[in-house]
C-alpha cells in the first residue's frame, strides 16, 4: 500500500466497511439499551446498570468507528502560515483597523474634551464611576 503525505495509508474498501458495520453496531447498541429500559419498566424492576454485553458492544463499535474514520477521512493538511501569509509584512499582521473605534464615551475623560451643553440629555455622554 502506498503511503500518503502524512504517513497514514489511504482509505481502502475494508476501512469503509468497518466504518459502516461500526455505525450499524452502535445504532444496534442504542436500540438494545432502549429495549432493556423498556423491559425493566414493564417488569417493574429498578434500573441499576446496562448489561455488560450492551456496554461492550457500544465501546467496541465506538473504538472501531474512530479507528476506521481516521483512515476514511484522509490525510491532514499541514497548517503553513508562512506560505499563506508570505506576502504580508509583520507590521500588517497585527493591524486590524476594523476593530479601531474612535467615537466612544472614553473621549469625555480627556482633559481637552469640550462638553457641549446645547445637546439634549439623550445625546450627552454618561460617565459612571464606581468606587
Amino acid at each position: 500500500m502506498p503511503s500518503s503525505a502524512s504517513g497514514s495509508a489511504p482509505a481502502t474498501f475494508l476501512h469503509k466497511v468497518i466504518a459502516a458495520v461500526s455505525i450499524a453496531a452502535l445504532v444496534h447498541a442504542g436500540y438494545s439499551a432502549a429495549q432493556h429500559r423498556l423491559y425493566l419498566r414493564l417488569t417493574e424492576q429498578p434500573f441499576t446498570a446496562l448489561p455488560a454485553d450492551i456496554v461492550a458492544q457500544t465501546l467496541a463499535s465506538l473504538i472501531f468507528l474512530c479507528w476506521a474514520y481516521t483512515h476514511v477521512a484522509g490525510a491532514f493538511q499541514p497548517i503553513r502560515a508562512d506560505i499563506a501569509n508570505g506576502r504580508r509584512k509583520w507590521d500588517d499582521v497585527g493591524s486590524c483597523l476594523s476593530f479601531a473605534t474612535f467615537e466612544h464615551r472614553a473621549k469625555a475623560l480627556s482633559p481637552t474634551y469640550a462638553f457641549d451643553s446645547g445637546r439634549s440629555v439623550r445625546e450627552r455622554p454618561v460617565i459612571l464611576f464606581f468606587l
Side-chain angles (χ1 to χ4, degrees), residues 105-109 113 125-129:
R105 61 184 175 195
K107 66 182 176 183
L109 298 174
Y113 178 72
V126 177
I127 300 173
L128 300 175
F129 291 103

Side-chain angles (χ1 to χ4, degrees), residues 19-131:
V21 169
S22 297
I23 289 174
L26 198 58
V27 169
H28 180 264
Y31 182 74
S32 297
Q35 263 192 334
H36 180 71
R37 292 292 301 259
L38 180 65
Y39 170 75
L40 290 178
R41 276 192 224 126
L42 289 176
T43 58
E44 296 178 356
Q45 296 176 7
F47 176 76
T48 55
L50 286 174
D53 62 335
I54 296 176
V55 173
Q57 181 182 358
T58 304
L59 292 176
S61 62
L62 189 63
I63 289 169
F64 279 116
L65 183 65
C66 290
W67 176 80
Y69 268 166
T70 56
H71 291 284
V72 172
F76 291 106
Q77 297 296 322
I79 299 173
R80 300 279 312 262
D82 58 338
I83 293 174
N85 296 322
R87 296 178 304 272
R88 294 180 72 185
K89 296 178 184 173
W90 184 250
D91 296 334
D92 298 336
V93 173
S95 65
C96 297
L97 292 178
S98 61
F99 290 111
T101 305
F102 300 106
E103 272 305 307
H104 52 81
R105 61 184 175 195
K107 66 182 176 183
L109 298 174
S110 172
T112 60
Y113 178 72
F115 182 70
D116 185 13
S117 60
R119 293 191 290 182
S120 69
V121 175
R122 290 186 185 260
E123 295 173 356
R124 292 181 189 163
V126 177
I127 300 173
L128 300 175
F129 291 103
F130 296 103
L131 298 176

